[in-house]
Amino acid sequence: MKNDKLLNPKGHLTDEAVYLYTDALKLEKTSELPGEVRDHVQECLQCKVAIQEIYDLVRDQDYDSLRPHPYFDQKKIHTKRSRSIITRLAAAIVIGVGLAFLAYFYFPYSDMPVAIDEPIEEPTEIIPDEVEPAPPDITEPEDIPAAPQEPRIPADLFAANFEQSPFYEILVDQQFRSHAIRVETPEIAEEITDDIFFSWKSRVPITVHLQLLDNTENVIWSTTTDEQSVTFSSDLEPGIYYWRLETDEELLYVGKFIIPIR
Amino acid sequence: MRNNDFDIHLLLKDPNTLIEEHQKTIACVVNKFVYTGLFSYHDRDEVIQYVNERLLTEKITKMQKQYKPQYYVVTYLSKIVYNLCLEYSRKHRTGNREDTTVDISQTDIPDNDDFSRHIMIQEESRRLDSILKMYYKHHKRIEVFLKIFFGIGITHDDLLQLYPEADEKEISVVLQKCNPTSDIDHKTDKELYETLTQFINKYEKKHNSSDALRKWVHAKMTEIIVLLNGNPKTANYDKETLKILFQFKYENLHFKASE
């Protein structure tokens, strides 16, 4: 499989790559996946979610009788073939160099150009990347693999403001610490036409940082409070907004609300 | 015996038979939705009927065009069936997921039904395995760190698997400082992170702070919770229940009902 078909233009796995990864999990062959697929999934929550979604469906299905696998089993055959081709090429080069030596010693005054005088370029050795990438931080959306910016739909239509953020959609309404806090308002995907009243309940006094983000994950407002509610009263453009509550230590909650077109 | 080559042949030449042959696959996917509460058990047959009709009338032609022989047909078919189930749910507005999400600390399984509890824990443990495998190079590291921070304890081999060149004396220090003892409650997270950071920095030739390690571990923990909960959400994991699952998995803890 060509690797350009495994990653989409945004740098995430294509559907085909997600299916392939799922098969790899089932067959315990993740080490045989293409390196860039493994490396990407290792760092990307969005792609992990996509794989896990399908893996959950096929987890109980019997894959034992399905062999040979069109990728993992074929790959071995290809590898053998390519090794055999490389061996033949190497043998041909050795013979060629040998003949050139003979020609040099036996026919030193020949007009024929002698290849041995040319510096032989050593084949480039491919060294696997041993340096692990810096651990990403899920609490910071910037760590999602950089994707080429796509042209945005004109802002005056507000359509672009209503595109969901794949990263935050995964995190919305997850409760990462039981009993740490219970969010009361706004409700998930609530349409808000007035001031935004963020409120939550915690059993113990807790200092939290609240961040308000637009749908492109830009922080547009943030505050720190010991209270259990905060009001945001500036005008916001119509669109989808996310908000996160966290302590110095960890992420507690991610919510989402909508400012409708008036 | 039915293998993938035969499935490809059927997909291209005799798709109706492929669907007939894969009724078990279809039922398996629909059952997942019944289990997670998107459909009631009474809807099950109707959903299977709907999926079959949609496959025969439209989807199978698209599958013939779009399938690339790089993965199993059954994996691809399962995803198509999954999408059709969601389509059915949207059309019929089924589902009451909140009542049926998995919470291993609070289940509806009767207290004396140890077998069902055991099966459920095994299932969740397998899901956790698949999630950890996706971390590939970080897999072992995450497993070890979370075992430490959940107070489960690690072994000499755990550390050697992370750093085969690690010095025996240093391994002993880490084991002594990070493993649960009678005074585990008195060890602060800060102490644990500092011990580990010192050890890791030496063998990875880095200068990371213990705070960076703490953030990294918390981030991975949060990711694992998100993955276990599924998208859309079908379970109710948080840090405390993840800890319970780790304890079941690595300590072979027996489920103690009503605790």
Side-chain angles (χ1 to χ4, degrees), chain B residues 197-215:
Chain B
T197 306
Q198 229 174 355
F199 183 71
I200 292 164
N201 279 349
K202 177 170 179 183
Y203 293 106
E204 293 188 3
K205 295 180 176 60
K206 287 179 182 169
H207 302 282
N208 289 332
S209 66
S210 55
D211 198 45
L213 180 67
R214 180 185 58 78
K215 278 190 175 175

Side-chain angles (χ1 to χ4, degrees), chain A residues 14-77:
Chain A
T14 57
D15 286 346
E16 286 77 23
V18 171
Y19 301 141
L20 181 65
Y21 204 113
T22 309
D23 285 355
L25 280 176
K26 277 287 287 181
L27 302 172
E28 303 201 340
K29 285 186 179 289
T30 42
S31 60
E32 290 180 31
L33 284 162
E36 62 266 53
V37 170
R38 271 193 329 246
D39 292 348
H40 176 78
V41 171
Q42 181 177 268
E43 307 299 340
C44 177
L45 176 61
Q46 201 178 317
C47 289
K48 282 195 200 86
V49 168
I51 295 162
Q52 186 68 17
E53 189 178 271
I54 305 182
Y55 181 74
D56 275 343
L57 301 176
V58 300
R59 204 175 62 233
D60 300 327
Q61 294 182 30
D62 178 20
Y63 273 33
D64 289 345
S65 62
L66 296 177
R67 307 284 292 265
H69 189 276
Y71 177 81
F72 297 112
D73 295 326
Q74 285 297 315
K75 202 179 135 199
K76 279 176 196 152
I77 296 165

Side-chain angles (χ1 to χ4, degrees), chain A:
Chain A
M1 196 183 314
K2 282 190 177 176
N3 294 343
D4 57 353
K5 289 179 183 168
L6 295 172
L7 300 177
N8 67 24
K10 288 186 173 183
H12 292 292
L13 261 59
T14 57
D15 286 346
E16 286 77 23
V18 171
Y19 301 141
L20 181 65
Y21 204 113
T22 309
D23 285 355
L25 280 176
K26 277 287 287 181
L27 302 172
E28 303 201 340
K29 285 186 179 289
T30 42
S31 60
E32 290 180 31
L33 284 162
E36 62 266 53
V37 170
R38 271 193 329 246
D39 292 348
H40 176 78
V41 171
Q42 181 177 268
E43 307 299 340
C44 177
L45 176 61
Q46 201 178 317
C47 289
K48 282 195 200 86
V49 168
I51 295 162
Q52 186 68 17
E53 189 178 271
I54 305 182
Y55 181 74
D56 275 343
L57 301 176
V58 300
R59 204 175 62 233
D60 300 327
Q61 294 182 30
D62 178 20
Y63 273 33
D64 289 345
S65 62
L66 296 177
R67 307 284 292 265
H69 189 276
Y71 177 81
F72 297 112
D73 295 326
Q74 285 297 315
K75 202 179 135 199
K76 279 176 196 152
I77 296 165
H78 286 157
T79 313
K80 275 183 190 168
R81 259 189 215 156
S82 58
R83 268 194 201 142
S84 148
I85 290 166
I86 288 167
T87 314
R88 283 180 201 173
L89 273 174
I93 290 166
V94 169
I95 291 167
V97 170
L99 286 173
F101 259 114
L102 286 173
Y104 181 79
F105 288 112
Y106 286 97
F107 309 104
Y109 305 109
S110 164
D111 291 336
M112 230 170 66
V114 181
I116 195 73
D117 289 341
E118 298 294 322
I120 297 170
E121 208 171 281
E122 284 197 12
T124 319
E125 193 185 350
I126 300 165
I127 303 165
D129 186 12
E130 287 175 0
V131 182
E132 288 186 16
D137 184 354
I138 190 184
T139 59
E140 297 300 328
E142 289 78 14
D143 289 323
I144 281 207
Q149 289 292 314
E150 286 185 350
R152 285 187 57 140
I153 301 164
D156 56 339
L157 295 175
F158 297 122
N161 295 356
F162 286 91
E163 284 174 13
Q164 295 179 335
S165 150
F167 177 78
Y168 275 105
E169 283 300 317
I170 294 168
L171 298 178
V172 161
D173 204 24
Q174 300 267 358
Q175 193 84 33
F176 299 108
R177 279 288 296 270
S178 64
H179 315 306
I181 55 153
R182 185 166 53 83
V183 170
E184 299 196 322
T185 61
E187 285 180 14
I188 299 298
E190 184 181 334
E191 291 198 357
I192 299 176
T193 51
D194 208 341
D195 290 350
I196 304 148
F197 183 62
F198 301 100
S199 66
W200 56 91
K201 285 271 182 285
S202 63
R203 286 183 182 176
V204 287
I206 182 172
T207 303
V208 291
H209 310 292
L210 188 154
Q211 283 189 331
L212 178 59
L213 306 101
D214 65 16
N215 65 327
T216 57
E217 299 166 6
N218 291 318
V219 178
I220 51 178
W221 180 68
S222 65
T223 186
T224 299
T225 179
D226 297 327
E227 304 296 323
Q228 298 196 5
S229 65
V230 171
T231 303
F232 180 79
S233 47
S234 293
D235 276 345
L236 287 173
E237 271 187 4
I240 292 175
Y241 291 86
Y242 300 91
W243 63 288
R244 36 192 285 157
L245 269 183
E246 55 197 348
T247 61
D248 285 337
E249 297 286 311
E250 59 196 326
L251 180 64
L252 295 174
Y253 181 83
V254 175
K256 166 186 171 180
F257 61 88
I258 294 163
I259 303 290
I261 298 170
R262 285 169 278 249

Side-chain angles (χ1 to χ4, degrees), chain B residues 137-201:
Chain B
K137 283 183 200 163
H138 300 315
H139 174 176
K140 190 68 196 169
R141 179 202 286 233
I142 292 171
E143 197 177 74
V144 169
F145 291 176
L146 290 184
K147 276 162 80 177
I148 291 172
F149 295 109
F150 287 150
I152 292 166
I154 50 166
T155 63
H156 181 271
D157 284 352
D158 281 334
L159 292 175
L160 267 188
Q161 276 182 44
L162 278 185
Y163 307 108
E165 72 281 20
D167 182 75
E168 285 297 328
K169 276 184 189 171
E170 277 161 328
I171 288 179
S172 302
V173 171
V174 175
L175 290 177
Q176 198 185 350
K177 288 192 176 177
C178 295
N179 270 348
T181 57
S182 53
D183 66 341
I184 182 68
D185 292 336
H186 304 297
K187 280 175 192 161
T188 61
D189 272 5
K190 198 180 168 195
E191 283 172 314
L192 290 176
Y193 283 115
E194 274 170 5
T195 307
L196 266 182
T197 306
Q198 229 174 355
F199 183 71
I200 292 164
N201 279 349

